[in-house]
């Protein structure tokens, strides 16, 4: 893109200030900035002030989960169906590792975080080992896709190479980068993080399928005959990946998707709860829970919105292709965004100073016809590492790992 073309594009979105330092840049930096402007989609920035595309909530109703007792009864049948699909190569795993992990406060990608005490135990190692359990049982590798972002791609790939993929068959590991979105102030003006670099951040965990498509991996998935994708977050070190019982239960239920969920620790726990919204599967976030929803009971007298999602979903790939071109709602999230001030000094704010624009995986569930909520035991499958200390932290996850016999 030429300088004139960049000016034209930026004018359209009221972002000409991004070229403020252009004349001070070296030739390479100029080229990089123009290329970043060319690649960046600025169309969402007006939503900073115009909240018209923020979805209003529909009618929320309970969605009952397949509970542990029922799963236990049918476990063998589910396991056989799941293993058959895995052995036929119909199941792939997708690790969402594009996030910034800001709450953990480490500059390295989250997957490289070491939770070991007597030896190094990296988060990625835990996830690979969990997947290996299924690989051993099924007798074939599960294709393992890793979503990174521009900010952590190279370092993640180098780490996996250096660690020899923690023993996973590297021919079955595929990396792809997720799209980036610009970060703005409260008026929708995009920040500069350097004189020649726009402030951008990964566009949320819901961007994974379209990013996979852009990377040419959807075609690969079709060629490989993969029919189901198990998407999961990087930070739950106990989760079961490509779990044959979950895979089998979802396939046999006939639903387009399945969601692993845990019984909430208490009704106020800060996790999204599965529900129906206008008759379709959905997730009601903890901050959207009204007093009525908090009080609602099911026929057993238990809280009606009691199953929290743990970001471990199974999607039928064909159905994802169908909804891929649907406009997903944007989530406009207040964040602390490092940026250059008027004088060109780098500011690292202590308080939120603007917005990031994200798509979320839970909106994919809502676009699908149906979803099987599948209960798992939280003590055995839910050890998220979100914070350095306190709730859902390194400490709590380590404790849970030890209780499950994992040596740290
Ligand atoms: P979180 O919502 O916890 O975000 O991600 P995060 O960026 O990791 O952490 P904070 O909020 O900055 O502390 C849930 C999962 O979604 C992935 C994360 O890597 C994690 O597995 N994710 C999140 C992405 O892959 N891309 C994104 O843009 C955001």
């Amino acid at each position: 893109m030429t300088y004139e073309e960049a000016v034209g594009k930026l004018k359209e979105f009221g972002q000409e200030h991004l070229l403020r330092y252009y004349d001070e840049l070296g030739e390479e930096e100029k080229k990089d900035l123009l290329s970043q402007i060319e690649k960046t989609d600025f169309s969402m920035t007006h939503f900073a002030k115009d909240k018209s595309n923020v979805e209003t909530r529909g009618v929320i109703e309970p969605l009952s989960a397949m509970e542990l007792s029922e799963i236990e009864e049918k476990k063998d049948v589910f396991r056989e169906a799941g293993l058959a699909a895995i052995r036929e190569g119909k199941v792939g795993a997708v690790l969402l590792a594009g996030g910034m992990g800001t709450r953990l406060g480490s500059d390295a990608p989250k997957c490289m975080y070491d939770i070991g005490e007597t030896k190094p135990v990296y988060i990625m190692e835990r996830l690979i080992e969990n997947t290996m359990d299924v690989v051993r049982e099924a007798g074939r590798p599960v294709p393992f896709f890793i979503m990174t972002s521009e900010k952590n791609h190279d370092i993640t790939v180098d780490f996996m190479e250096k660690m020899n993929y923690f023993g996973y068959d590297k021919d079955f590991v595929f990396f792809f980068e997720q799209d980036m979105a610009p970060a703005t102030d409260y008026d929708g003006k995009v920040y500069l993080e350097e004189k020649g670099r726009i402030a951008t951040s990964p566009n949320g965990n819901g961007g994974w399928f379209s990013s996979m498509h852009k990377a040419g991996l959807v075609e690969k998935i079709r060629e490989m005959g993969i029919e189901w994708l198990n998407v999961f977050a990087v930070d739950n070190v106990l989760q079961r990946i490509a779990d044959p019982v979950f895979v089998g239960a979802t396939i046999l239920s006939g639903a387009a998707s399945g969601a692993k969920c845990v019984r909430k620790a208490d009704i106020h726990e800060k996790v999204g709860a599965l529900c129906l919204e206008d008759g379709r599967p959905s997730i009601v976030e903890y901050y959207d829970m009204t007093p009525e929803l908090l009080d609602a009971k099911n026929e057993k007298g238990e809280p009606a919105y009691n199953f929290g999602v743990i970001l471990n979903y199974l999607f039928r790939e064909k159905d994802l292709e169908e909804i891929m071109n649907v406009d997903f709602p944007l989530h406009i999230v207040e964040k602390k965004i490092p940026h250059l001030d008027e004088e060109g000094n780098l500011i690292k704010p202590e308080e939120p100073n603007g917005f990031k624009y994200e798509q979320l995986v839970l909106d994919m569930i809502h676009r699908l016809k149906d979803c099987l909520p599948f209960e798992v035991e939280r003590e055995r499958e839910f050890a998220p590492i979100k914070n350095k200390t306190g709730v859902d932290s390194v400490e709590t996850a380590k404790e849970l790992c030890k209780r499950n016999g994992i040596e740290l």
Side-chain angles (χ1 to χ4, degrees):
M1 173 173 264
T2 63
Y3 176 79
E4 287 69 29
E5 285 166 339
V7 174
K9 176 169 179 183
L10 293 177
K11 263 203 177 133
E12 201 185 318
F13 300 103
Q15 307 289 352
E16 304 94 295
H17 59 281
L18 295 176
L19 288 166
R20 192 182 332 153
Y21 300 106
Y22 189 77
D23 292 338
E24 294 178 32
L25 303 176
E27 281 317 303
E28 268 316 297
E29 291 169 315
K30 282 183 176 165
K31 257 210 278 174
D32 285 350
L33 179 59
L34 293 181
S35 136
Q36 208 193 0
I37 293 170
E38 181 174 13
K39 278 196 266 170
T40 303
D41 175 7
F42 294 102
S43 62
M44 75 287 278
T45 54
H46 71 277
F47 289 124
K49 287 194 285 190
D50 155 22
K51 299 283 193 282
S52 63
N53 114 318
V54 175
E55 284 205 345
T56 48
R57 297 241 60 152
V59 177
I60 306 284
E61 290 169 301
L63 172 61
S64 55
M66 181 181 272
E67 297 186 21
L68 290 174
S69 50
E70 182 180 351
I71 295 167
E72 190 53 42
E73 254 170 50
K74 301 180 182 158
K75 204 169 184 171
D76 293 343
V77 178
F78 291 160
R79 183 184 295 283
E80 269 324 300
L83 279 175
I86 294 165
R87 287 194 181 114
E88 286 162 28
K90 290 183 180 165
V91 182
V94 184
L95 164 60
L96 302 178
M100 304 285 281
T102 42
R103 282 170 287 172
L104 193 53
S106 156
D107 284 339
K110 226 179 201 179
C111 66
M112 290 170 63
Y113 199 86
D114 178 6
I115 60 165
E117 290 178 349
T118 58
K119 56 179 184 177
V121 178
Y122 301 101
I123 290 183
M124 181 68 102
E125 184 176 357
R126 290 285 329 120
L127 300 175
I128 295 274
E129 278 184 7
N130 292 351
T131 316
M132 290 281 243
D133 288 346
V134 180
V135 170
R136 273 183 225 109
E137 198 178 354
R140 65 161 287 157
V142 173
F144 198 92
F145 300 89
I146 301 178
M147 181 168 86
T148 59
S149 83
E150 182 188 282
K151 306 252 178 197
N152 68 16
H153 182 81
D154 292 349
I155 177 163
T156 306
V157 175
D158 289 350
F159 174 67
M160 288 296 273
E161 282 284 335
K162 188 170 138 226
M163 293 299 169
N164 200 19
Y165 293 76
F166 295 102
Y168 211 78
D169 185 339
K170 106 181 229 190
D171 291 343
F172 284 83
V173 179
F174 309 90
F175 293 93
F176 65 102
E177 270 183 56
Q178 80 173 105
D179 293 330
M180 304 294 282
T184 71
D185 66 13
Y186 292 117
D187 290 325
K189 295 282 178 205
V190 176
Y191 279 122
L192 277 173
E193 63 185 22
E194 289 170 30
K195 290 186 173 176
R197 195 140 190 95
I198 300 170
T200 57
S201 66
N203 68 345
N205 59 35
W208 67 273
F209 193 71
S210 57
S211 299
M212 239 178 153
H213 182 62
K214 276 196 196 152
L217 285 174
V218 170
E219 264 164 47
K220 179 137 199 112
I221 281 172
R222 280 192 223 126
E223 272 165 32
M224 292 170 89
I226 295 173
E227 294 179 8
W228 294 89
L229 290 171
N230 180 201
V231 177
F232 59 100
V234 71
D235 38 35
N236 178 5
V237 285
L238 273 187
Q239 65 190 311
R240 309 309 305 162
I241 295 153
D243 168 1
V245 182
F246 176 46
V247 171
T250 307
I251 294 178
L252 293 176
S253 76
S257 62
K260 281 201 168 185
C261 51
V262 291
R263 217 167 265 264
K264 284 191 183 180
D266 68 80
I267 194 69
H268 298 285
E269 190 185 9
K270 290 183 173 174
V271 291
L274 277 158
C275 63
L276 285 175
E277 181 177 352
D278 295 336
R280 296 178 88 90
S282 190
I283 284 135
V284 51
E285 284 297 351
Y286 64 91
Y287 44 77
D288 283 335
M289 291 284 282
T290 59
E292 291 74 42
L293 296 181
L294 289 168
D295 270 354
K297 301 278 183 295
N298 64 16
E299 63 285 355
K300 290 189 226 159
E302 295 165 347
Y305 300 91
N306 205 19
F307 288 98
V309 283
I310 61 170
L311 221 174
N312 186 314
Y313 299 105
L314 188 70
F315 287 103
R316 187 159 52 206
E317 194 274 335
K318 211 160 32 81
D319 296 64
L320 289 180
E321 289 192 41
E322 278 168 25
I323 59 164
M324 189 164 54
N325 296 322
V326 173
D327 260 347
F328 286 103
L330 272 181
H331 295 257
I332 301 172
V333 201
E334 247 192 302
K335 295 259 176 166
K336 298 176 212 161
I337 305 158
H339 65 282
L340 297 188
D341 67 8
E342 292 294 312
E343 283 76 46
N345 304 311
L346 179 65
I347 306 292
K348 287 190 172 171
E350 300 282 321
E351 296 300 324
N353 60 328
F355 296 129
K356 290 187 175 177
Y357 301 82
E358 298 187 342
Q359 293 178 2
L360 298 184
V361 68
L362 51 88
D363 290 314
M364 298 170 94
I365 291 285
H366 188 46
R367 295 293 181 276
L368 295 170
K369 195 165 83 286
D370 38 23
C371 175
L372 173 75
F374 181 90
E375 186 186 6
V376 297
E377 264 179 87
R378 63 186 297 145
E379 294 72 23
R380 295 174 56 134
E381 289 205 32
F382 190 42
I385 299 182
K386 297 281 182 197
N387 308 302
K388 213 160 189 156
T389 52
V391 180
D392 295 342
S393 65
V394 181
E395 292 161 7
T396 55
K398 278 186 183 186
E399 188 48 41
L400 282 161
C401 281
K402 286 185 209 160
R403 267 193 246 158
N404 280 279
I406 295 159
E407 262 180 57
L408 295 179

